[in-house]
Amino acid sequence: LRLIYKMKAFEWLKRAQAEKFAIGAFNGASMETFRAIVQAAAKLKSPVIIEASHSEVEFFGMTEMVAVVRALEKDFKVPVILNLDHAPDLESCLRAIEVGFDYIHFDGSKMPYEKNVRVAKMVVTAAHVRRIPVEGEMDHIGGSSADHRGEEALDVSHLAAFTDPENARLFVLETGIDTFAGFFGNVHGLYGGQKNIDLDLLKRIKESIPTKFLSLHGGSGIPGDQIKAAIKEGIVKINVNSELRVAYAEELKKTLNQPNQK
């Protein structure tokens, strides 16, 4: 059973790439959010990625997260891929691999390029022994996973990073990663202004690394037609966090403000 869990991430990514669909990747750090994500996936009869950032993992615990996700997967009978999201160092990646995560996203974008490459290669070596896919990035994504919709004057475009396709090709070649997190106007967070992604740049990134998987970060707030177009251009994983946070907070406030019911 453990081996099946380890192999399923690659299988689903390959299927998504071949059949031109993307798997939703949703951040969670509580029983409520974990259950909601898996319940929604079961209702839609869809595989799903549950991911946790470094701070979310520190809050909930790695081994605890694996146990909860595996239990929910069994209860709802839906494929769930557990992803370590934006892991900042080698140690946390190795720990996640050891305790049973299915997918590792190492984010060395704040490191010097050479160190980013060196650490990413070590993560790939360790992960591939257990058939675990590794995602990497070289351009640091802008914004923050929060609700910025009240900041109407904010120009979202100046937060965006833009990946050079040739640099992407060299980075993938040097690291051996399986999934590349490219940036083409996407940013973390929800904003008053509309996000717009550069589909032509995305197409050129895909052409530079045709055999690799592509991940879209900052999916919250991107118009649906652009999401569909991005999938057609090769995106197989779409990260969503801010919209879940906002929905959770708004519903919690609504519930807490209701009169006590007997």
Side-chain angles (χ1 to χ4, degrees), residues 158-171:
H158 87 277
L159 298 171
F162 293 91
T163 296
D164 179 90
E166 176 59 16
N167 289 341
R169 186 187 70 82
L170 293 174
F171 181 73

Side-chain angles (χ1 to χ4, degrees), residues 146-220:
D147 186 1
H148 303 282
R149 290 176 298 175
E151 304 168 20
E152 295 292 347
L154 183 64
D155 179 9
V156 180
S157 64
H158 87 277
L159 298 171
F162 293 91
T163 296
D164 179 90
E166 176 59 16
N167 289 341
R169 186 187 70 82
L170 293 174
F171 181 73
V172 167
L173 183 65
E174 291 182 274
T175 59
I177 58 172
D178 309 288
T179 306
F180 180 74
F183 301 111
F184 33 89
N186 44 318
V187 298
H188 279 155
L190 278 171
Y191 299 88
Q194 179 176 299
K195 293 182 182 179
N196 288 293
I197 56 178
D198 187 336
L199 292 167
D200 180 65
L201 176 56
L202 171 58
K203 182 177 181 179
R204 289 188 286 119
I205 292 170
K206 181 60 179 177
E207 289 172 347
S208 72
I209 46 175
T211 63
K212 297 297 179 177
F213 306 119
L214 288 182
S215 174
L216 189 160
H217 286 255
S220 295

Side-chain angles (χ1 to χ4, degrees), residues 1-260:
L1 188 61
R2 184 177 175 84
L3 182 59
I4 293 172
Y5 284 146
K6 293 303 179 186
M7 294 180 66
K8 73 181 179 186
F10 264 121
E11 291 170 352
W12 277 110
L13 291 171
K14 289 176 181 177
R15 183 173 172 180
Q17 190 171 63
E19 298 180 16
K20 296 289 186 181
F21 68 87
I23 304 172
F26 305 96
N27 284 71
S30 70
M31 286 296 298
E32 293 84 0
T33 51
F34 291 150
R35 187 176 183 85
I37 292 166
V38 178
Q39 190 171 20
K43 183 178 181 180
L44 296 171
K45 299 180 180 179
S46 171
V48 70
I49 298 172
I50 287 182
E51 54 190 18
S53 65
H54 185 66
S55 59
E56 289 166 338
V57 166
E58 285 189 325
F59 169 75
F60 200 88
M62 278 193 183
T63 55
E64 293 85 351
M65 196 169 286
V66 171
V68 168
V69 168
R70 294 285 85 95
L72 288 170
E73 180 178 52
K74 182 179 179 181
D75 288 347
F76 285 93
K77 297 178 176 58
V78 62
V80 182
I81 297 167
L82 182 57
N83 170 32
L84 182 64
D85 188 36
H86 288 286
D89 52 53
L90 176 63
E91 291 73 24
S92 58
C93 293
L94 295 180
R95 174 65 177 157
I97 292 168
E98 180 62 29
V99 301
F101 276 63
D102 306 302
Y103 185 106
I104 304 294
H105 170 204
F106 166 64
D107 181 0
S109 60
K110 291 184 178 180
M111 298 176 177
Y113 180 82
E114 294 76 13
K115 184 176 181 181
N116 186 4
V117 170
R118 185 171 67 252
V119 176
K121 288 173 68 175
M122 289 189 282
V123 174
V124 168
T125 298
H128 282 186
V129 170
R130 303 198 184 193
R131 288 285 297 162
I132 298 173
V134 176
E135 179 174 334
E137 64 181 89
M138 60 181 187
D139 305 303
H140 182 64
I141 186 170
S144 65
S145 297
D147 186 1
H148 303 282
R149 290 176 298 175
E151 304 168 20
E152 295 292 347
L154 183 64
D155 179 9
V156 180
S157 64
H158 87 277
L159 298 171
F162 293 91
T163 296
D164 179 90
E166 176 59 16
N167 289 341
R169 186 187 70 82
L170 293 174
F171 181 73
V172 167
L173 183 65
E174 291 182 274
T175 59
I177 58 172
D178 309 288
T179 306
F180 180 74
F183 301 111
F184 33 89
N186 44 318
V187 298
H188 279 155
L190 278 171
Y191 299 88
Q194 179 176 299
K195 293 182 182 179
N196 288 293
I197 56 178
D198 187 336
L199 292 167
D200 180 65
L201 176 56
L202 171 58
K203 182 177 181 179
R204 289 188 286 119
I205 292 170
K206 181 60 179 177
E207 289 172 347
S208 72
I209 46 175
T211 63
K212 297 297 179 177
F213 306 119
L214 288 182
S215 174
L216 189 160
H217 286 255
S220 295
I222 297 176
D225 60 334
Q226 293 187 32
I227 290 288
K228 292 178 181 178
I231 293 171
K232 288 182 179 180
E233 295 297 344
I235 291 293
V236 299
K237 169 177 167 282
I238 298 176
N239 289 37
V240 177
N241 186 2
S242 302
E243 287 177 317
L244 268 71
R245 290 186 178 190
V246 169
Y248 181 90
E250 290 180 349
E251 189 62 27
L252 181 60
K253 290 176 184 177
K254 178 181 175 181
T255 302
L256 292 175
N257 287 328
Q258 288 180 349
N260 290 332

